[in-house]
């Protein structure tokens, strides 16, 4: 899918973080495994984590663990803080993509459901502040993705209104729903060739298999 699909060149590009720009699935899988085991539950498989672990923990854990949600979150972060920086890996061509966006003069920000302080620690660890102006994570805004609040926060003070010249690029339903709710252009990266019925409820305007294809789109 290309810009000939009716999309305008972007003034701003807002990226999801986990598994859009960096590969964090192994870390997330281990955090979930330790959490389920500590609470006496059968741990999810890696595929189940990829299928279901898409919300912020403050939205997801109460439904998973009920009154033990805060206990579960504590276990999750004990594992997370031990391993997340040493295992952080940029996805192939992610740096080239960010440099290309910066070179085009786009405003570049990250909108993630990773807790804001942790997100910014990872951003700093990679040295990507030279390309990314702002990073908005979970608990920074009143509501997390899929609510539009983090997009509004990322654009606040830029003079750029959320419209089709603002791309929200991500790999999950939460990213697509967030883009639709804010009135931005939803861009799906990765995923299966055929969109699921759930994804089609919030269809992407543009699709790319990876960071390299996103560069080509631009």
């Amino acid at each position: 899918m290309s810009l000939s699909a009716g999309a305008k060149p972007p003034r701003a590009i807002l990226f999801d973080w986990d598994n859009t720009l960096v590969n964090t699935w192994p870390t997330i899988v281990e955090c979930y495994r330790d959490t389920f085991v500590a609470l006496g539950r059968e741990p999810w498989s890696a595929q189940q984590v990829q299928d279901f672990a898409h919300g912020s923990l403050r939205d997801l854990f109460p439904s998973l663990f009920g009154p033990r949600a805060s206990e579960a979150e504590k276990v999750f972060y004990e594992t997370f803080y031990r391993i997340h920086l040493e295992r952080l890996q940029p996805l192939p061509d992610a740096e080239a993509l960010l440099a290309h966006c910066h070179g085009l003069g786009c405003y570049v920000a990250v909108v993630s459901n990773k807790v804001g302080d942790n997100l910014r620690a990872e951003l700093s660890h990679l040295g990507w502040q030279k390309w990314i102006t702002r990073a908005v994570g979970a608990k920074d805004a009143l509501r997390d993705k899929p609510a539009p609040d983090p997009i509004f926060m990322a654009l606040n003070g830029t003079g750029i209104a959320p419209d089709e010249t603002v791309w929200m690029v991500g790999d999950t339903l939460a990213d697509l729903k967030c883009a639709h709710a804010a009135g931005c252009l939803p861009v799906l990266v990765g995923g299966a060739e055929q969109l699921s019925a759930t994804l089609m409820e919030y269809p992407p305007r543009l699709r790319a298999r990876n960071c390299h294809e996103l560069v080509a789109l631009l």
Side-chain angles (χ1 to χ4, degrees):
M1 196 179 294
S2 68
L3 286 182
S4 62
K8 297 178 180 178
R11 293 186 297 158
I13 304 182
L14 312 178
F15 289 101
D16 174 49
W17 183 249
D18 291 326
N19 311 302
T20 296
L21 293 174
V22 294
N23 177 23
T24 56
W25 278 125
T27 295
I28 294 169
V29 167
E30 185 162 340
C31 291
Y32 269 90
R33 184 196 66 203
D34 288 359
T35 302
F36 274 85
V37 169
L39 272 72
R41 300 264 296 274
E42 181 72 23
W44 277 350
S45 67
Q47 188 60 54
Q48 285 175 306
V49 174
Q50 292 192 37
D51 288 343
F52 300 118
H54 294 148
S56 64
L57 295 197
R58 71 169 167 176
D59 292 337
L60 187 59
F61 270 26
S63 64
L64 283 176
F65 300 107
R68 301 183 73 186
S70 60
E71 179 187 352
E73 188 168 342
K74 182 174 182 290
V75 175
F76 182 98
Y77 281 117
E78 283 174 353
T79 298
F80 177 83
Y81 287 126
R82 190 178 75 249
I83 65 177
H84 80 118
L85 290 180
E86 68 182 40
R87 298 193 185 182
L88 188 64
Q89 292 290 330
L91 284 171
D93 296 311
E95 293 190 352
L97 171 61
L98 291 171
H100 186 68
C101 293
H102 185 76
L104 291 173
C106 294
Y107 170 76
V108 180
V110 168
V111 174
S112 171
N113 270 340
K114 175 166 279 172
V115 168
D117 288 345
N118 300 333
L119 169 65
R120 290 180 284 274
E122 293 185 357
L123 181 65
S124 177
H125 181 75
L126 294 175
W128 283 2
Q129 304 97 317
K130 59 181 176 284
W131 298 310
I132 295 170
T133 302
R134 188 175 296 170
V136 177
K139 301 184 180 181
D140 288 340
L142 185 62
R143 298 176 296 172
D144 303 324
K145 293 186 300 185
D149 307 40
I151 285 180
F152 299 150
M153 179 174 280
L155 294 175
N156 186 42
T158 65
I160 301 172
D163 61 20
E164 65 177 11
T165 67
V166 177
W167 291 15
M168 177 66 227
V169 180
D171 66 317
T172 71
L173 177 63
D175 300 308
L176 296 177
K177 290 177 75 172
C178 186
H180 278 272
C184 299
L185 189 132
V187 182
L188 181 67
V189 62
E193 288 297 317
Q194 296 298 319
L195 291 178
S196 68
T198 305
L199 285 175
M200 284 306 296
E201 292 179 25
Y202 302 90
R205 284 279 299 280
L206 297 170
R207 292 188 66 189
R209 285 179 294 184
N210 48 43
C211 293
H212 179 74
E213 284 197 1
L214 277 171
V215 173
L217 272 182
L218 291 160

